[in-house]
Amino acid sequence: MTIIHDTIAFDEATHTYRVRGHIVPGVTSILQPLVDFSGIPPAVLAAKADLGTRVHLACELDDQDDLDEASVEDDVAPYLAAYRRFRAEVRPEILLNEHRVYHKTWNYCGTLDRVMRIQGLTYVVDLKTCFTTPMSAGPQTSAYARAVEAAKLMDIHKRAALRLRPDGTYRLDTLDHANDWSVFLACLTLRSFMENHRNDD
């Protein structure tokens, strides 16, 4: 199914972004060089990805007050409880929810999880169901933050990963490494170089 958001078209089946008909790389695919799943069986990866997708959807619908409680599966429930606990304790104001962004200058797209106002500061927040915050989270949220600001939607003050745990607890990890944006640009440059090299063959 293709979803149109402003000038961005997103094909869910192929996870492909298009802007005005042209394919544009997504943040997640750009950062693939930072992700190493070589030691994890494909079936485990697929199950984890499926869980993450269902948790994200439950949290999105919950934010919109449109969640059917009967639809929440047993394996999703503790992560949803963790998200609800975060909202109850931190009381963030949700400004953007599962929002697609496009950076015109650097020509990339992405779908950020949340932009939230927490204690007067505006955060890009990425929801995670993993045990530790992955190395790619900093560059990932940096790319989203730059795209939000380039589109003049709002200023971003902070970035964080919200880790939802299977015991119903959460942890908000601040992402503030000075090189996060530079690392993202390096991955973007590498992708462009490899694509141009393939086209030259």
Side-chain angles (χ1 to χ4, degrees):
M1 182 171 112
T2 300
I3 299 172
I4 306 295
H5 179 85
D6 296 331
T7 60
I8 306 168
F10 179 68
D11 188 317
E12 289 184 323
T14 61
H15 205 85
T16 302
Y17 293 93
R18 284 183 171 81
V19 175
R20 299 180 187 88
H22 298 285
I23 293 178
V24 175
V27 169
T28 303
S29 64
I30 291 167
L31 292 173
Q32 280 301 343
L34 301 184
V35 180
D36 181 13
F37 294 135
S38 58
I40 304 176
V44 174
L45 280 177
K48 188 64 177 175
D50 177 65
L51 174 63
T53 297
R54 290 183 287 119
V55 169
H56 272 71
L57 179 59
C59 293
E60 178 185 3
L61 293 175
D62 198 50
D63 280 341
Q64 297 169 350
D65 295 322
D66 197 28
L67 179 65
D68 177 3
E69 296 289 340
S71 72
V72 179
E73 296 148 307
D74 289 345
D75 59 344
V76 171
Y79 296 95
L80 177 61
Y83 185 64
R84 286 174 167 172
R85 182 174 181 177
F86 162 76
R87 286 197 313 171
E89 294 179 354
V90 178
R91 303 185 67 81
E93 178 188 358
I94 298 172
L95 305 176
L96 296 174
N97 186 336
E98 297 293 334
H99 187 82
R100 290 190 174 83
V101 292
Y102 170 58
H103 198 303
K104 183 177 180 181
T105 301
W106 291 102
N107 194 42
Y108 67 82
C109 287
T111 304
L112 59 82
D113 291 343
R114 302 289 186 280
V115 173
M116 300 176 171
R117 185 171 289 119
I118 301 174
Q119 297 181 346
L121 298 177
T122 305
Y123 281 70
V124 167
V125 177
D126 202 67
L127 275 57
K128 302 293 187 185
T129 56
C130 42
F131 291 109
T132 60
T133 296
M135 178 172 55
S136 59
Q140 179 185 17
T141 54
S142 182
Y144 295 150
R146 295 285 182 136
V148 167
E149 293 183 330
K152 302 188 184 303
L153 295 177
M154 63 192 75
D155 292 331
I156 301 297
H157 306 119
K158 296 277 189 177
R159 298 174 290 111
L162 176 57
R163 281 196 282 135
L164 307 176
R165 294 166 163 170
D167 62 356
T169 63
Y170 68 88
R171 176 167 173 168
L172 187 67
D173 295 330
T174 300
L175 304 169
D176 55 7
H177 197 287
N179 289 333
D180 283 343
W181 175 240
S182 297
V183 170
F184 176 77
L185 289 183
C187 290
L188 182 61
T189 301
L190 176 62
R191 179 190 177 95
S192 178
F193 173 81
M194 294 177 69
E195 286 182 348
N196 289 336
H197 182 73
R198 283 195 295 268
N199 292 336
D200 288 341
D201 288 345

